[in-house]
């Protein structure tokens, strides 16, 4: 009797969270699937009593958008570039931080600050760092005002048009790669540092007795022992990479690129090209489901690979 009463008490405590999840998570997912499967769905028409037939035309129309493949390509490029770089840097920094005893907490706080800073505000700072003045009225060269170009000029390198009008695609991708890597480091460092502190010190002592080099110790002890954490930050990194949007908005503003949406992503494509039009809500839902399918497939591949590489 007491066991049954405790079960009902537990469910009673969980009820508020279950209700909120059902309203703000479960129902929006179900409704997104429903809207995506309704041909030419429009909320205004539905409120007016119009009926819609089920079909897959919304998915077809999204794929046929002329900018869809470009946005998908940019999203995948940024993800493939930023996830390995940020993971490797985070691992190196975490190892170095773990070996520092003095002012260790201060460095941890410094590295964690970007994680608690608004991404739009950071984007505006990066925009100022990489900005350039427009050419002079008399047809002169670009005038550098950004920190990065000032550094380049100090080494005798000509300033680069990173984000202004007619900036090359490669320069824009470089700026966003630096931004995303820098912004992703704090979370990954925190996870890996926590994992390092849980590694049994006897492994390192045994390696030291055997005269094992630090490089071999790193690859044969540190990396295998951290493999669950590395797999976690890689998987979450890919998920976050495919959902990238606010960082680009912060750096480039509404233009999402120097040459009209050059570095726009799938999420930006959904917001600006589809979801902003009330008559395209069905297509927006279909695009969101396509993005979900891509993220799900990449996550499954990562999990499959991690099963063979991760040591628990």
């Amino acid at each position: 009797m007491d066991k049954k009463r405790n079960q009902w008490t537990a469910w009673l405590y969980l009820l508020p969270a279950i209700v909120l999840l059902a309203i703000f998570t479960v129902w929006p997912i179900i409704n997104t699937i429903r809207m995506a499967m309704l041909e030419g769905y429009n909320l205004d028409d539905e409120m007016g009593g119009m009926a819609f037939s089920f079909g897959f035309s919304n998915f077809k129309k999204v794929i046929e958008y002329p900018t869809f493949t470009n946005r998908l390509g940019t999203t995948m490029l940024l993800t493939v570039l930023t996830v390995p770089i940020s993971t490797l840097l985070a691992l190196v920094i975490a190892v170095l931080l773990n070996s520092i005893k003095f002012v260790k907490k201060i460095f941890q706080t410094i590295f964690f600050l970007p994680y608690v800073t608004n991404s739009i505000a950071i984007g505006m700072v990066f925009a100022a760092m990489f900005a350039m003045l427009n050419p002079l009225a008399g047809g002169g060269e670009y005038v550098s005002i950004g920190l990065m170009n000032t550094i380049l000029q100090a080494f005798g390198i000509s300033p680069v048009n990173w984000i202004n009008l007619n900036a090359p695609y490669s320069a824009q991708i470089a700026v966003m790669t630096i931004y995303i890597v820098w912004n992703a480091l704090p979370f990954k460092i925190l996870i890996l540092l926590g994992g390092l502190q849980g590694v049994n010190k006897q492994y390192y002592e045994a390696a030291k007795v055997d005269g094992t080099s630090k490089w071999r110790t790193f690859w044969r002890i540190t990396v295998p022992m951290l493999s669950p954490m590395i797999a976690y930050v890689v998987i979450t990194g890919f998920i976050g990479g495919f959902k990238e949007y606010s960082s680009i908005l912060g750096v480039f503003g509404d233009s999402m690129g120097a040459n009209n949406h050059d570095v726009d992503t799938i999420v930006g494509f959904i917001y600006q090209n589809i979801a902003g039009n009330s008559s395209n809500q069905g297509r927006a839902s279909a695009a969101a489901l396509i993005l979900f399918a891509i993220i799900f497939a990449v996550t499954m591949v990562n999990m499959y690979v991690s099963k063979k590489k991760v040591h628990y």
Side-chain angles (χ1 to χ4, degrees):
M1 185 68 179
D2 290 338
K3 185 177 180 180
K4 189 174 182 180
R5 184 190 307 167
N6 289 336
Q7 288 179 344
W8 280 107
T9 302
W11 281 109
L12 185 62
Y13 284 131
L14 288 172
L15 184 60
I18 293 173
V19 171
L20 290 175
L21 284 173
I23 295 174
F24 296 107
T25 302
V26 178
W27 166 243
I29 293 174
I30 296 173
N31 194 42
T32 298
I33 297 173
R34 182 184 70 88
M35 290 190 296
M37 299 300 295
L38 294 176
E39 303 276 359
Y41 176 83
N42 185 313
L43 180 60
D44 295 334
D45 292 339
E46 185 182 45
M47 296 296 291
M50 182 177 176
F52 301 93
S53 59
F54 281 88
F56 296 94
S57 66
N58 288 325
F59 295 92
K60 182 181 178 182
K61 289 176 181 177
V62 168
I63 296 173
E64 289 176 348
Y65 264 81
T67 57
F68 175 78
T69 53
N70 294 335
R71 305 301 178 255
L72 178 60
T74 299
T75 304
M76 295 182 69
L77 177 61
L78 286 174
T79 303
V80 170
L81 286 174
T82 58
V83 173
I85 294 173
S86 60
T87 303
L88 182 60
L89 282 177
L91 179 59
V92 173
I93 294 172
V95 171
L96 294 176
L97 281 177
N98 193 52
S99 62
I100 297 174
K101 305 301 179 184
F102 182 64
V103 297
K104 181 178 180 179
K105 298 294 183 183
I106 296 176
F107 277 105
Q108 284 180 294
T109 303
I110 292 172
F111 277 108
F112 193 69
L113 281 176
Y115 189 71
V116 295
T117 306
N118 184 274
S119 58
I120 299 296
I122 298 174
M124 294 173 67
V125 173
F126 266 73
M129 288 172 57
F130 287 91
M132 295 183 69
L133 287 174
N134 288 328
L136 298 174
E141 299 293 332
Y142 275 98
V143 180
S144 171
I145 60 170
L147 174 63
M148 295 304 299
N149 279 319
T150 301
I151 295 174
L152 290 178
Q153 287 179 316
F155 287 94
I157 302 173
S158 300
V160 177
N161 181 17
W162 299 99
I163 61 176
N164 288 64
L165 184 64
N166 297 323
Y169 180 75
S170 57
Q172 298 176 64
I173 290 294
V175 172
M176 290 315 308
T177 300
I178 295 171
Y179 172 92
I180 295 171
V181 168
W182 182 81
N183 197 37
L185 280 177
F187 175 74
K188 295 184 178 183
I189 291 172
L190 182 68
I191 297 297
L192 295 174
L193 189 59
L196 276 171
Q197 293 171 352
V199 175
N200 194 329
K201 299 298 185 290
Q202 291 181 351
Y203 295 114
Y204 295 108
E205 293 172 0
K208 190 175 182 180
V209 170
D210 291 339
T212 308
S213 65
K214 291 184 177 180
W215 182 253
R216 189 173 178 83
T217 300
F218 174 77
W219 284 109
R220 295 297 182 180
I221 296 177
T222 303
V223 172
M225 296 301 293
L226 284 180
S227 55
M229 293 78 179
I230 294 174
Y232 173 75
V233 297
V234 168
I235 291 173
T236 55
F238 272 100
I239 293 173
F242 277 100
K243 297 193 300 180
E244 200 66 55
Y245 173 66
S246 59
S247 59
I248 300 173
L249 187 65
V251 174
F252 292 98
D254 292 337
S255 66
M256 301 296 285
N259 300 310
N260 191 17
H261 295 249
D262 268 9
V263 289
D264 200 354
T265 59
I266 290 293
V267 176
F269 169 80
I270 294 172
Y271 282 150
Q272 299 193 9
N273 295 330
I274 301 179
N277 189 337
S278 61
S279 63
N280 290 339
Q281 292 157 337
R283 297 181 196 177
S285 300
L289 290 180
I290 291 173
L291 176 60
F292 168 77
I294 294 172
I295 293 175
F296 182 79
V298 172
T299 303
M300 290 299 102
V301 171
N302 277 313
M303 292 184 68
Y304 176 77
V305 173
S306 66
K307 284 183 180 179
K308 297 184 177 182
K309 301 294 183 181
V310 173
H311 304 276
Y312 292 98

